[in-house]
């Protein structure tokens, strides 16, 4: 295994029913601001990325002061993965995303340990990133995402 | 509000049934190593901190390359908070911890927004940190912890 495989906690994904209300909650409580707001039809979500540290919110720019993102996720419908999560468990933490420098290599390395990949090839994630999910049943109930940030490609 | 209130995602807390097995899973899958292993009787857990990035695992040392921690939590008994969480929801992500530079000020600021504090004064956390939990019912179902790292006091 070439280490470090993971470079950082990139984000924590949080399922919510009303994205605008949740954005306002994080702004009012912690002063967090939205750095990206987009819909991802493929994943069935409307999502906001909020930079935890305003020092340097861009991980590609040297990582100095990068503090990770809160990713707020509102489902586009009840039959989406996040919609089903909300129906089953209610609002709360949905997954954790780790930064990697090379997602294809990371997927091969992790797949080789026996942990199942939900995505067999990288998909499009927030802010132009390439992402892939790992199976929570093989990781102690934790839905885990790998994230290769666009500018570190 | 003095910003930034939060400096980083410090850790993600993960509830598990067998700490040693979970440590081995994170080592075998991602190459993560334990940087701290301790019991916290007050919180009813045995816990391990695993540095996500091996570049610079100590946030007090300038934050350069700090990638956050995975915190694995095994309950000391069924009547502890993590023991009850496992009985109710099974293994998985339990909470998120954010770094702050001054926990007393952060608690006052956040308490002033109407979010309830579970801890009225800071408690002892992992690796000598001062910590306090915020009420998940006021934060969209997310159990949220504030962490003032020992060396940034």
């Amino acid at each position: 295994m070439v280490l470090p495989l993971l470079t950082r906690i990139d984000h924590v994904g949080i399922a919510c029913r009303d994205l605008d209300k949740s954005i306002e909650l994080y702004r009012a409580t912690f002063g967090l601001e939205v750095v990206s707001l987009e819909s991802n039809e493929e994943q069935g979500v409307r999502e906001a990325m909020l930079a935890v540290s305003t020092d340097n919110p861009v991980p590609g720019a040297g990582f100095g002061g990068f503090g990770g993102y809160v990713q707020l996720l509102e489902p586009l419908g009840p039959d989406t993965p996040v919609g089903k999560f909300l129906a089953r468990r209610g609002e709360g933490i949905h997954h954790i995303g780790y930064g990697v420098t090379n997602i294809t290599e990371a997927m091969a390395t992790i797949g080789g340990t026996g942990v199942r990949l939900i995505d067999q090839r990288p998909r499009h994630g927030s802010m132009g990133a390439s992402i892939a999910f790992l199976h929570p049943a093989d990781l102690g109930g934790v839905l885990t995402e790998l994230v290769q940030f666009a500018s570190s490609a």
Side-chain angles (χ1 to χ4, degrees), chain A residues 49-104:
Chain A
M49 297 292 268
L50 287 65
V52 172
S53 167
T54 52
D55 184 10
N56 177 5
V58 182
F63 292 10
F66 176 67
Y69 300 107
V70 171
Q71 182 185 53
L72 300 174
L73 301 162
E74 179 194 281
L76 293 178
D79 289 335
T80 60
V82 174
K84 291 174 186 169
F85 177 92
L86 284 174
R88 197 171 65 246
R89 311 198 60 162
E91 291 188 317
I93 302 175
H94 178 261
H95 70 270
I96 177 170
Y98 296 108
V100 297
T101 49
N102 184 316
I103 194 165
T104 308

Side-chain angles (χ1 to χ4, degrees), chain A residues 6 22 30-31 34 40 60 66 84 93 100 106 115 124 130-131 141-142:
Chain A
L6 310 180
S22 291
F30 302 118
V34 174
N40 188 321
F66 176 67
K84 291 174 186 169
I93 302 175
V100 297
V115 169
H124 295 294
S130 295
I131 65 163
V142 177

Side-chain angles (χ1 to χ4, degrees), chain A residues 2 7 18-19 43-44 52 55 59 66 68 78 82 89-90 94 104 107 118 123 128 138 140 147:
Chain A
V2 179
T7 58
D18 184 322
L19 185 61
Q43 292 179 52
V52 172
D55 184 10
F66 176 67
V82 174
R89 311 198 60 162
H94 178 261
T104 308
M107 290 168 74
I118 292 176
R123 290 193 291 165
D138 295 336
V147 181

Side-chain angles (χ1 to χ4, degrees), chain A residues 3-77:
Chain A
L3 295 177
L5 189 63
L6 310 180
T7 58
R8 61 180 185 275
I9 298 176
D10 181 82
H11 67 270
V12 175
I14 295 170
C16 63
R17 293 206 166 82
D18 184 322
L19 185 61
D20 297 327
K21 276 192 188 167
S22 291
I23 288 171
E24 175 55 23
L25 176 65
Y26 275 84
R27 192 201 62 71
T29 309
F30 302 118
L32 301 195
E33 299 290 348
V34 174
V35 295
S36 170
L37 186 65
E38 53 191 295
S39 284
N40 188 321
E41 297 284 339
E42 185 190 27
Q43 292 179 52
V45 290
R46 196 162 76 93
E47 62 184 52
M49 297 292 268
L50 287 65
V52 172
S53 167
T54 52
D55 184 10
N56 177 5
V58 182
F63 292 10
F66 176 67
Y69 300 107
V70 171
Q71 182 185 53
L72 300 174
L73 301 162
E74 179 194 281
L76 293 178

